[in-house]
Amino acid sequence: MKKQPLLLRNGFSRMTLDDQIARARAVDRDRTKRLAAIKTRRQAEAYRDEAAAEIAKCFGVFPHKTPLNARVTGDIEHPAFVIEKVVFEGRPGFLVTANLYVPKNLRGPAPAVLGNCGHDRTGKAGAENQAYSQELAQCGYVVLTFDPIAQGERDQHLSLPAGHRLRTDCAFAHVILGQQLQLTGEFFGTWMVWDGMRALDYLLSRPEVDPRRVAVTGNSGGGCLSTLLWALEPRLKMAAPSCWVNSFLAVIENEVGGDAEQSPPGALGRGIEQSDFFLCRAPEPAILIAQKHDFFDRRRVAGASREVRRIYELFGARNYFTHFVGENTHGYFPDGRSAMRAFFARHFRVRNRTRLSVRPHTPKELFVLPHGEVLRNGSHSVREIHSRLSSGIPKRKNSRPASSLRAGIIDVLGLHDYRVTPVWHRNLRSDWLEGKMYGRHAVSTERGIETILRKVHVPSSGGLVQALSVERKVSLYVPHWSSEAEVREFPVARKLSMKPPLYTVDVRGIGESMCRDKADPEVHYWMDYLSQSFDALLGVCHLGRRVFDLMKTCDLLTQEGAREIRLIANGQGSLIAAFATVLHPRILSADLHNAPVSFAEWVRSETLAWPAAMCPRGVLKEFDLPDVYRTFRSKLRIRSRWNAVTCPIQSQ
């Protein structure tokens, strides 16, 4: 007989998202007031310069430039242009493949365009990338379109089977690479932008290019990269991102999110919105291209455009900024490409041809390298370079005092706001499951956030609502995905529930407040991942807030009479419990089942099964888990371990 799926309570499923929306709206209100107060050009210049500085902080320090070692490996002839096949080194030994479209019969240095690819596994060979590149070349532009990481010829996971999702789904590959990079404080967007900067270096090295007339464009993920590059690369003189710009607030409100490179750490927390990536370049010419039926909110595109246009007016440059909305869905359609070419032609003062043709090529025809894979041609992978960089992080001494390690944990998790204060709770309707009464209580940990505390009572307990009565000695179970599921399915939790009383807790995004009705098999890309991304935009450590929830729940138990608290935890819960045990004075010990081995192991692994929320930014600059396990071995007992790839995405 087919096993029936568990029907789990999920009544708090919007709690985490609603909290993030409320915080993002508060930032938006403050920013709107700041913009409204700008009345003069001098004020606009001050805002522009401040925005540029804050945006730069999100991306950290870029590497030193090294020789490109560029070479052309072949070409394809067209009547009006030639496609050159180019490879260069964005970092030493890190190959970037690109196609350079060079118009024939140039009479002098020509305008140029840096083309950025959206999330198409074929990269530069994607249909829309070939279309805008060929059309621009026919109009007299030199165009360089390069393969982003994990796209086109830049597969980063060749050792995995051909059908593995990391090889077929570039967005998923970006997510996993982003998780690994954030453990050392790196931002995947910085890696993507750096490739774009080095591609621009190559483009400007060509004698055919006029450095005073260089633009950038791209659609979707390419629109994002065009936007980021526009804010960070002053050598670009014009921008036309398509189907990405709206607002970070809308990304959260509409549950859209983005890939690892699309959420600059702390941007929204610093008061930075997507329109600021254009305000910081005012009054340089730019056009925002959108589509009416896109999943990116056209209302926010219009709002961003109004904000930018008003500031441009203060510079006396109203005609230097505009936006276009087509009648299509998500994509770089002919109408959007036409609007882009017309804008470029007007500001670069070139003829705008309208009768254009496109002859697409197969990915193989556009291959730069013999096998169409950089790793097979001696390139290093992101993982190899990152592992080498992470090994260079100064290691803390093994004898680091416990107080210093606690301080490091507080810094990484952002728990400076934790204080022992009175905790309010609500008594909810109880559950009867398998002959046992489960009392349920909603514990207010911070404004808008409640953890769900359950107590497994002896069978004689009755009533629909149970008051919270706490014993002096408490056992509290912290689950991997769901308390409700694990007291029935996880042997350790099930055994504990046979000897009441047992307390269990679902922190934010776990169990009753999971954003979906079950553990989502797309956990690396949907709501659990988005919750972490939204907090990252707000400058908040999602794991830290989960640890905060557990500590405040323990505050409530202490407030109601507990003098000793013992944690039993599983999977994700083991990581949350380990940090809470180190920091909370009433937690005597924690039994950690299926605990992670180390963060360094996650960095070295070819892939990663642990969710993004478990990857605190910059943790390896401060400590690794073995440091915590060793220093607090009297309180933390490791019962079993999951390595980087054995963490399951659903409760078990």
Side-chain angles (χ1 to χ4, degrees):
M1 179 181 294
K2 183 178 180 181
K3 184 179 179 181
Q4 294 297 311
L6 286 173
L7 299 177
L8 305 178
R9 283 184 180 266
N10 199 210
F12 293 78
S13 62
R14 287 196 56 86
M15 180 187 71
T16 301
L17 181 60
D18 285 345
D19 170 64
Q20 292 168 327
I21 290 173
R23 286 185 283 140
R25 286 175 176 170
V27 172
D28 183 68
R29 287 192 294 270
D30 289 344
R31 180 178 173 277
T32 299
K33 291 178 183 177
R34 285 191 291 126
L35 281 173
I38 298 173
K39 306 294 185 183
T40 67
R41 175 169 180 151
R42 179 171 291 182
Q43 291 172 327
E45 289 172 343
Y47 184 91
R48 176 194 63 192
D49 296 343
E50 180 184 349
E54 292 300 319
I55 288 170
K57 291 176 184 176
C58 299
F59 291 83
V61 179
F62 288 100
H64 293 294
K65 288 191 176 181
T66 52
L68 288 170
N69 297 323
R71 56 194 172 93
V72 177
T73 65
D75 58 51
I76 301 174
E77 289 278 347
H78 280 250
F81 58 90
V82 177
I83 305 175
E84 295 186 8
K85 302 176 180 183
V86 179
V87 60
F88 60 86
E89 295 182 19
R91 301 169 186 243
F94 189 54
L95 299 184
V96 181
T97 43
N99 291 150
L100 184 73
Y101 296 73
V102 183
K104 293 181 177 179
N105 303 317
L106 290 176
R107 297 181 179 178
V113 177
L114 180 64
N116 296 297
C117 301
H119 287 94
D120 184 331
R121 179 62 186 85
T122 59
K124 63 186 179 304
E128 62 188 24
N129 301 318
Q130 291 194 58
Y132 70 69
S133 298
Q134 291 192 24
E135 290 169 349
L136 284 166
Q138 291 171 71
C139 293
Y141 297 85
V142 180
V143 183
L144 182 69
T145 307
F146 65 97
D147 285 327
I149 295 169
Q151 296 176 241
E153 299 179 66
R154 301 183 70 198
D155 189 335
Q156 299 294 297
H157 299 90
L158 279 186
S159 63
L160 298 176
H164 195 284
R165 191 178 171 200
L166 280 172
R167 298 191 61 189
T168 61
D169 184 344
C170 58
F172 181 69
H174 290 176
V175 166
I176 298 301
L177 291 169
Q179 289 178 216
Q180 293 174 310
L181 288 166
Q182 72 187 27
L183 289 166
T184 60
E186 298 251 347
F187 172 40
F188 186 59
T190 301
W191 283 64
M192 297 282 278
V193 166
W194 183 247
D195 278 354
M197 290 177 168
R198 299 314 321 266
L200 183 59
D201 286 341
Y202 176 76
L203 185 60
L204 291 173
S205 75
R206 296 290 298 231
E208 302 93 338
V209 171
D210 179 356
R212 298 166 300 175
R213 294 185 293 168
V214 182
V216 65
T217 193
N219 183 72
S220 189
C224 171
L225 186 52
S226 297
T227 300
L228 305 185
L229 280 164
W230 178 238
L232 296 164
E233 184 48 90
R235 293 176 297 173
L236 293 169
K237 304 304 180 184
M238 188 155 43
S242 169
C243 287
W244 186 74
V245 176
N246 57 117
S247 75
F248 291 131
L249 174 58
V251 160
I252 299 176
E253 287 181 329
N254 298 336
E255 305 174 27
V256 176
D259 299 285
E261 69 273 22
Q262 297 181 5
S263 299
L268 198 52
R270 292 186 171 96
I272 293 297
E273 257 296 358
Q274 291 181 17
S275 59
D276 289 316
F277 285 74
F278 297 88
L279 291 176
C280 75
R281 289 296 306 271
E284 300 285 348
I287 177 175
L288 303 187
I289 300 167
Q291 294 293 340
K292 184 175 181 180
H293 305 292
D294 195 0
F295 49 80
F296 289 121
D297 197 327
R298 64 178 181 268
R299 296 169 297 178
R300 295 294 184 175
V301 179
S305 298
R306 285 193 297 271
E307 288 180 350
V308 178
R309 187 176 292 111
R310 191 179 78 82
I311 299 301
Y312 270 57
E313 288 174 353
L314 295 177
F315 282 95
R318 177 181 176 84
N319 294 330
Y320 275 57
F321 180 84
T322 189
H323 84 282
F324 169 86
V325 180
E327 292 292 328
N328 296 289
T329 56
H330 189 71
Y332 216 162
F333 292 95
D335 56 357
R337 303 200 303 267
S338 178
M340 171 266 291
R341 294 194 308 275
F343 189 81
F344 283 1
R346 183 163 67 252
H347 290 278
F348 280 164
R349 294 189 174 94
V350 299
R351 180 186 174 194
N352 183 29
R353 295 181 58 185
T354 56
R355 300 186 65 177
L356 305 168
S357 62
V358 174
R359 179 165 68 91
H361 295 277
T362 66
K364 188 173 183 179
E365 289 175 323
L366 293 174
F367 278 173
V368 175
L369 300 171
H371 303 290
E373 293 290 357
V374 293
L375 296 188
R376 289 191 181 134
N377 284 270
S379 178
H380 300 308
S381 67
V382 172
R383 182 172 58 88
E384 289 171 334
I385 297 172
H386 183 223
S387 296
R388 193 162 60 243
L389 292 174
S390 66
S391 66
I393 294 175
K395 294 294 184 290
R396 302 282 178 170
K397 295 180 180 179
N398 291 340
S399 59
R400 185 179 182 184
S403 60
S404 174
L405 185 51
R406 283 194 186 95
I409 292 171
I410 290 171
D411 285 343
V412 169
L413 299 182
L415 290 174
H416 299 280
D417 63 332
Y418 171 74
R419 300 287 186 275
V420 177
T421 55
V423 182
W424 177 255
H425 74 279
R426 299 184 292 128
N427 297 319
L428 307 178
R429 290 178 67 87
S430 303
D431 277 344
W432 277 97
L433 295 173
E434 299 179 343
K436 291 186 273 302
M437 170 68 78
Y438 288 74
R440 295 172 59 248
H441 313 276
V443 183
S444 298
T445 62
E446 56 183 332
R447 180 179 295 180
I449 297 293
E450 294 177 313
T451 67
I452 306 305
L453 178 68
R454 288 168 168 253
K455 181 178 181 180
V456 184
H457 290 272
V458 295
S460 60
S461 299
L464 293 175
V465 176
Q466 291 287 317
L468 180 61
S469 300
V470 178
E471 297 75 16
R472 289 180 61 84
K473 295 183 178 181
V474 167
S475 294
L476 177 62
Y477 179 74
V478 189
H480 174 49
W481 276 118
S482 165
S483 294
E484 186 180 359
E486 290 172 43
V487 294
R488 287 184 279 175
E489 292 194 333
F490 181 51
V492 171
R494 185 175 179 84
K495 184 177 180 180
L496 288 167
S497 71
M498 298 297 180
K499 298 179 180 180
L502 170 70
Y503 294 81
T504 72
V505 61
D506 286 342
V507 297
R508 73 186 73 190
I510 298 290
E512 293 202 35
S513 63
M514 193 179 296
C515 285
R516 288 184 177 248
D517 293 334
K518 58 184 177 64
D520 194 325
E522 300 282 0
V523 68
H524 279 295
Y525 198 57
W526 298 110
M527 290 310 300
D528 184 84
Y529 163 72
L530 295 185
S531 295
Q532 187 274 338
S533 297
F534 299 158
D535 266 352
L537 275 171
L538 289 159
V540 174
C541 176
H542 197 64
L543 174 59
R545 300 329 291 168
R546 287 177 167 177
V547 174
F548 182 89
D549 289 344
L550 177 54
M551 293 171 69
K552 295 306 292 183
T553 301
C554 290
D555 284 349
L556 173 67
L557 294 172
T558 301
Q559 176 181 302
E560 296 300 315
R563 293 296 174 263
E564 298 178 7
I565 301 172
R566 180 172 70 96
L567 303 183
I568 309 94
N570 178 33
Q572 291 190 88
S574 68
L575 188 54
I576 298 167
F579 290 136
T581 301
V582 168
L583 299 177
H584 199 285
R586 289 292 186 186
I587 303 176
L588 294 187
S589 66
D591 285 6
L592 307 180
H593 298 266
N594 301 317
V597 175
S598 76
F599 292 125
E601 184 222 11
W602 293 4
V603 168
R604 296 189 298 267
S605 178
E606 180 79 358
T607 184
L608 180 60
W610 290 81
M614 296 294 106
C615 301
R617 181 169 300 281
V619 63
L620 285 172
K621 290 184 176 180
E622 278 288 339
F623 61 86
D624 199 356
L625 290 174
D627 304 326
V628 178
Y629 298 152
R630 180 177 55 251
T631 302
F632 299 98
R633 56 185 174 274
S634 63
K635 301 183 74 173
L636 302 176
R637 296 190 285 265
I638 312 296
R639 301 303 189 187
S640 57
R641 296 179 186 268
W642 278 335
N643 62 30
V645 298
T646 53
C647 171
I649 59 176
Q650 292 190 344
S651 298
Q652 68 174 38

